Amino acid sequence: MTGARSSTPGGVPVPIDMAPTTAAAGVTAVRFRSVHKSFGAVRVLRGIDLEVPTGQRLAIIGPSGSGKTTILRLAMTLERPDSGTIEIEGELLGQKRVGDRLVPDDERHLRQVRGKIGMVFQHFNLFPHMTALQNVMLGPVNALGLTRAEARTRGLELLHVVGLEDKADVHPRKLSGGQQQRVAIARALAMRPRIMLFDEVTSALDPELVGEVLTVIRNLAHETAMTMLIVTHEMKFAADISDRVIFMDEGVIVEDAPSSVLFTNPAHERTRAFLRAVLER
Amino acid sequence: MTFDVDYAIRILPTLLNATVVTFQATIWGMTFAVVGGLVLAILRMSRFRPVSATAGFYIEFIRSTPLLTQLFFLFYILPLYGLALSAFVTGVLALGLHYSSYTAEVYRAGITGVPRGQWEAATTLNLGPLQTWRLIILPQAIPPVIPALGNYLVSMFKDTPLLATITVLELLGTALTEAGLSFRYLEPITIVGAIFLALSLPSALLVRGLERRFATR
């Protein structure tokens, strides 16, 4: 990192070149083509077609069980689609084409494609047997092949970005939920993903800790050009941060619109009912 | 028949020497069981069905047959197929094989106890399967099961007298040899019991200490 920095109003300085964004604007970062997924008898996704251009901030909203999280889990290869394909920057994810058939991808190529994606979970999933810094260094050392010294520098820098450089040597159980989630964000960023997936990252937090996590993500959105897919129940946050929103219900995309339109003037009755319900809470 | 203290003192050094063999059998057997059990547990949890099913069958098979039978099988049957091992090595092999099927289940409990989110976080960091096991799963799965492994260590220690049946001169075998010469059984066998007690009790206390230590994590 060359250390070019800028500050956001009231925010933490973010190294500008944190996420490489060499792909030209207009390239499709994530593309789902008629993706279906069932768990047992439950049809979670019923034919999802979705195209997310590079650099877009896409918010995915909808009632629980509507399939929003499954979209992220499929993009992270934590689940496999029953049918349909997923492409990351034009490359098939988890599959490869042999003749006119699709077969499971080989591990090497799968990891290469997956390396473009980072994910932050609702329940943080930090490694409890490691300090905050060790959590952040793990991926760069073991998957990216950085030296420990390089990974350490990057790790401390990212802990600084999330405002936790003084907690580098602390184990997760000694951190608050908000702090744990910020470490988890730093850990995901350390892999230099081009696409970040945020899966209900504030849902497990006490209300007073939600703000610090959202601030970190807002700063990232301002300071980097990363593509972001954000599943959230925080409607104000979604409206602030996203360029585009999709509203999902029962495994289908019901409405897909720029966030300025969807939140103020939703076209579908189901979207209106959902927004009314969550905003009145 | 009264306890002959002089005789007891006379045979004590011989028996203490034999305790070293008992120790060696336990240490080697446990090393085998600690490593073998881990390998079995990981095979047992393989996503590739034929591997997990074979490992599962093996574990159940070993757990459902007596150690003494396995011991005789290895000692009398293997040589027929050209694999003639010393009695001591055969004994260690039997202890290790037998106990690895138990430690495998202990490890499995530990591994199952690691939340699924840990595997998923490893995937998001693009770690390979081996890295995930080594860096994420095992460091969390093993500490909680160390007391259970310790219990099996004590258990195995107390099973070593079975090796006397295949001519290993460990503690009991040596005592029986002594008794065969003097026709006095009271002293040798009593000393054997006392030595086992003297070694097992502290080990059991140690295991309880480990339990307390790892319970607080």
Side-chain angles (χ1 to χ4, degrees):
Chain A
M1 274 182 223
T2 51
R5 285 165 189 278
S6 69
S7 290
T8 42
V12 190
V14 178
I16 283 184
D17 58 345
M18 190 157 49
T21 47
T22 49
V27 170
T28 300
V30 181
R31 188 198 301 269
F32 278 54
R33 285 185 218 257
S34 55
V35 170
H36 289 255
K37 179 70 185 174
S38 298
F39 294 109
V42 186
R43 294 173 62 199
V44 184
L45 295 181
R46 310 172 182 223
I48 296 293
D49 286 284
L50 177 65
E51 202 173 309
V52 186
T54 295
Q56 187 168 73
R57 279 63 196 270
L58 172 70
I60 307 174
I61 62 170
S64 358
S66 58
K68 349 181 254 306
T69 288
T70 306
I71 288 190
L72 299 192
R73 293 177 58 82
L74 284 163
M76 190 69 253
T77 69
L78 298 176
E79 312 282 353
R80 276 184 214 176
D82 297 336
S83 65
T85 58
I86 300 167
E87 284 169 29
I88 303 298
E89 293 186 347
E91 287 191 88
L92 276 172
L93 178 71
Q95 294 178 309
K96 62 179 173 188
R97 218 173 281 283
V98 176
D100 55 357
R101 288 195 319 131
L102 290 173
V103 298
D105 203 356
D106 55 277
E107 182 73 17
R108 219 184 107 144
H109 185 251
L110 171 66
R111 286 175 74 176
Q112 187 211 312
V113 179
R114 184 165 55 201
K116 298 176 178 181
I117 311 165
M119 182 164 180
V120 182
F121 296 92
Q122 179 179 355
H123 294 288
F124 334 134
N125 296 346
L126 290 179
F127 305 125
H129 57 300
M130 299 178 188
T131 64
L133 181 60
Q134 286 168 340
N135 265 276
V136 179
M137 288 171 60
L138 186 85
V141 169
N142 293 286
L144 301 181
L146 265 63
T147 66
R148 299 200 71 80
E150 289 165 343
R152 195 184 155 76
T153 308
R154 184 186 290 190
L156 287 171
E157 194 152 359
L158 286 167
L159 285 176
H160 175 71
V161 166
V162 300
L164 289 173
E165 66 272 44
D166 56 329
K167 302 288 185 188
D169 298 322
V170 176
H171 279 80
R173 66 174 174 280
K174 299 250 170 80
L175 297 173
S176 73
Q179 291 170 332
Q180 289 189 49
Q181 192 59 296
R182 287 188 278 153
V183 173
I185 292 171
R187 181 176 68 176
L189 291 173
M191 298 297 288
R192 298 205 178 188
R194 301 155 69 101
I195 301 157
M196 273 285 269
L197 313 174
F198 293 97
D199 183 17
E200 301 193 22
V201 291
T202 57
S203 297
L205 298 178
D206 292 334
E208 74 273 19
L209 302 178
V210 168
E212 62 189 67
V213 172
L214 295 186
T215 301
V216 166
I217 299 175
R218 277 200 182 93
N219 289 340
L220 281 177
H222 284 133
E223 305 286 332
T224 73
M226 262 185 289
T227 308
M228 295 184 181
L229 277 65
I230 304 158
V231 168
T232 184
H233 291 293
E234 302 281 337
M235 291 306 141
K236 188 174 176 320
F237 170 67
D240 286 355
I241 199 175
S242 64
D243 316 320
R244 173 187 172 195
V245 187
I246 57 177
F247 170 69
M248 292 190 64
D249 198 13
E250 296 181 357
V252 296
I253 297 174
V254 174
E255 185 160 353
D256 179 347
S259 56
S260 53
V261 174
L262 191 134
F263 285 111
T264 53
N265 190 18
H268 291 255
E269 177 49 36
R270 273 147 91 189
T271 318
R272 277 197 288 274
F274 173 76
L275 288 176
R276 222 179 297 126
V278 293
L279 293 176
E280 273 169 16
R281 254 191 328 201
Chain B
M1 197 171 194
T2 53
F3 193 90
D4 182 340
V5 177
D6 282 347
Y7 173 62
I9 290 173
R10 218 168 342 116
I11 61 170
L12 190 59
T14 315
L15 292 181
L16 285 177
N17 266 334
T19 310
V20 174
V21 178
T22 292
F23 249 134
Q24 285 170 336
T26 310
I27 297 297
W28 285 113
M30 200 58 196
T31 306
F32 190 126
V34 162
V35 177
L38 183 57
V39 173
L40 269 180
I42 292 174
L43 294 178
R44 176 90 173 79
M45 301 188 76
S46 165
R47 249 179 293 173
F48 187 53
R49 277 290 294 165
V51 171
S52 59
T54 308
F57 175 79
Y58 173 82
I59 290 169
E60 284 314 313
F61 178 80
I62 297 285
R63 277 155 53 104
S64 309
T65 49
L67 173 56
L68 190 56
T69 313
Q70 292 160 8
L71 201 56
F72 282 172
F73 188 89
L74 292 179
F75 190 65
Y76 292 109
I77 314 285
L78 278 190
L80 300 182
Y81 294 93
L83 196 60
L85 304 170
S86 76
F88 179 79
V89 172
T90 307
V92 164
L93 194 63
L95 286 173
L97 284 175
H98 187 78
Y99 274 90
S100 60
S101 67
Y102 286 91
T103 53
E105 292 296 280
V106 169
Y107 282 121
R108 191 156 75 104
I111 293 164
T112 322
V114 177
R116 197 164 69 132
Q118 295 290 306
W119 294 89
E120 296 183 344
T123 302
T124 68
L125 297 184
N126 227 346
L127 299 182
L130 276 179
Q131 289 174 322
T132 303
W133 278 108
R134 183 168 59 85
L135 301 166
I136 309 299
I137 304 306
L138 295 181
Q140 295 182 65
I142 292 178
V145 301
I146 285 174
L149 291 175
N151 275 327
Y152 280 120
L153 175 68
V154 177
S155 224
M156 179 188 286
F157 173 64
K158 290 185 295 176
D159 270 349
T160 51
L162 286 176
L163 302 199
T165 59
I166 58 164
T167 76
V168 177
L169 286 177
E170 45 64 72
L171 187 48
L172 183 68
T174 308
L176 290 174
T177 309
E178 278 300 327
L181 295 172
S182 64
F183 297 104
R184 295 192 65 94
Y185 283 85
L186 177 63
E187 295 82 0
I189 306 292
T190 306
I191 292 172
V192 169
I195 290 177
F196 269 104
L197 188 67
L199 291 171
S200 289
L201 265 184
S203 316
L205 287 177
L206 186 73
V207 169
R208 206 154 313 151
L210 287 175
E211 257 160 20
R212 222 168 299 131
R213 165 140 186 240
F214 288 109
T216 56
R217 283 163 71 99

